[in-house]
Structure formats: structure tokens, C-alpha cells
Amino acid sequence: MSVTAVPLRPIKKGSVRRIWLGVAVAVAGSALLTWNGLRPFGRTASGIAYQILQPGKGENPARDDFALLAYKGQLPDGTVFDENAQAPMDLTGTVPGFSEAVTLLKKGGHIRVKIPASLAYGATPPQGSPIPADSPLIFDLKLTEFMTRAQMMELQQQRQMQQMLQQGMQPGGGAPGGPPGGIPGQPPMPQGAPAPVPGQP
């Protein structure tokens, strides 16, 4: 019995290093893909699947809060139907799945969610939208800030008060604690007299 020897070509210098570098890159890429794929998915009681990409800090918003968000909405085939880098939102004005998804976030958090059609637009998507009927929606959401409804109401009241005070300082508007009908330090205007026009005596 004879064995035929096959001559082996010597490996060039530097080739071994390139081979090991290629193997290392392949292993690192595979590990990254596996890690991304294995990030823990959760599921809410209503059926929203979610993946926390950045946990964030602090409290979670409630469904009736106001939030400042960055978001990207996609269809299952990857079609982007809506995107905004800084959107102030009243969460009560969104589809139920969207507001529920935002409650999973904390400030600075980033989440990816898959909302079933029943919690999105169901059989009646917005007219003229690329969203087909009965389509689930995929969102990437980042929460910058949020405010409770009570805080928002208080802020609106403060703004209204500021506007009233600013208007009260204008000619003919009256000012709290000042003469009725005019500017502080000037005599009150007689009833029925027309308000002075700015720039005219």
C-alpha cells in the first residue's frame, strides 16, 4: 500500500496575520448580530412586543401625559411612514398602542416596539397614508422629556396670566393696581372715551 504525498505550498509572510484578522472580524460581527438579536424582548399584557435599546433614567410617563419624543414609524416591510426628531405630543391624542409604548420609556430611554394592528389603526388607517389596513406598526422611540397633565395645565395658566399682565400694560387695557383704563401714572380715562392710539397725542 503506497501513500501519495501531496506537496503543500508554503504560506506567504503576512498571510497568517490576515487570516486571523479576518476570523476575528467575522467572530466579532457574528457576536454583535447575535447580541442585537438576543437583546431581551418583552411583551405587554395587551400584546405590544418591545425591546429596550437604552434604559433611560427616572420615572415613566403616564398615558395622559405630554411627551417630547423622537420617533420613526415603519411598516413590517421597512417602509418608513412617519419620522420626527423632536415631536411634542399629547399622548391622549395618539393610537392606544403608541401611548402605551411611550409609558415603557424613561427620560433618555430608547425603545423599539411592534404594535399589533388592533392597537394601531386596525382596518381604518388614515386616508392617504401608506399604512395598509390591519397592519402592525414598528416604532423606534426616544423620550427626551415629559410633563404630567397637571403640570401642563399649571404651565398654561401661568402663560395666560403673563399674557393678561402684558395686555394689561398696553394703552386702554387697564393694569392691575393701576388706573382703570390706562397706563400707570396717568389719569383714568372717562367712560365711553375711545382708547388712545399709540403714537398719537
Side-chain angles (χ1 to χ4, degrees), residues 45-187:
S46 63
I48 294 174
Y50 65 92
Q51 187 179 29
I52 295 175
L53 304 176
Q54 180 73 36
K57 294 180 180 178
E59 301 293 319
N60 299 74
R63 287 189 189 207
D64 63 345
D65 286 347
F66 291 81
L68 184 61
L69 295 163
Y71 69 87
K72 180 165 78 170
Q74 294 176 274
L75 300 177
D77 66 1
T79 302
V80 176
F81 62 84
D82 196 6
E83 190 169 13
N84 198 318
Q86 194 171 10
M89 287 192 180
D90 178 352
L91 296 180
T92 60
T94 63
V95 294
F98 189 91
S99 58
E100 183 181 349
V102 174
T103 66
L104 301 171
L105 285 162
K106 297 178 187 295
K107 288 179 191 177
H110 180 193
I111 195 171
R112 183 170 295 133
V113 295
K114 185 175 183 180
I115 300 172
S118 60
L119 295 175
Y121 293 105
T124 54
Q127 207 167 21
S129 150
I131 301 171
D134 299 313
S135 175
L137 303 178
I138 298 163
F139 281 97
D140 266 66
L141 301 168
K142 294 178 184 177
L143 179 63
T144 304
E145 185 59 83
F146 74 92
M147 191 177 289
T148 66
R149 188 158 291 276
Q151 288 171 326
M152 180 59 80
M153 297 297 288
E154 186 179 341
L155 185 64
Q156 285 177 342
Q157 287 174 353
Q158 287 174 357
R159 285 182 181 163
Q160 286 174 352
M161 287 296 292
Q162 286 175 347
Q163 286 176 352
M164 287 171 59
L165 288 172
Q166 287 172 354
Q167 289 172 357
M169 298 303 287
Q170 299 301 318
I183 302 168
Q186 290 189 355

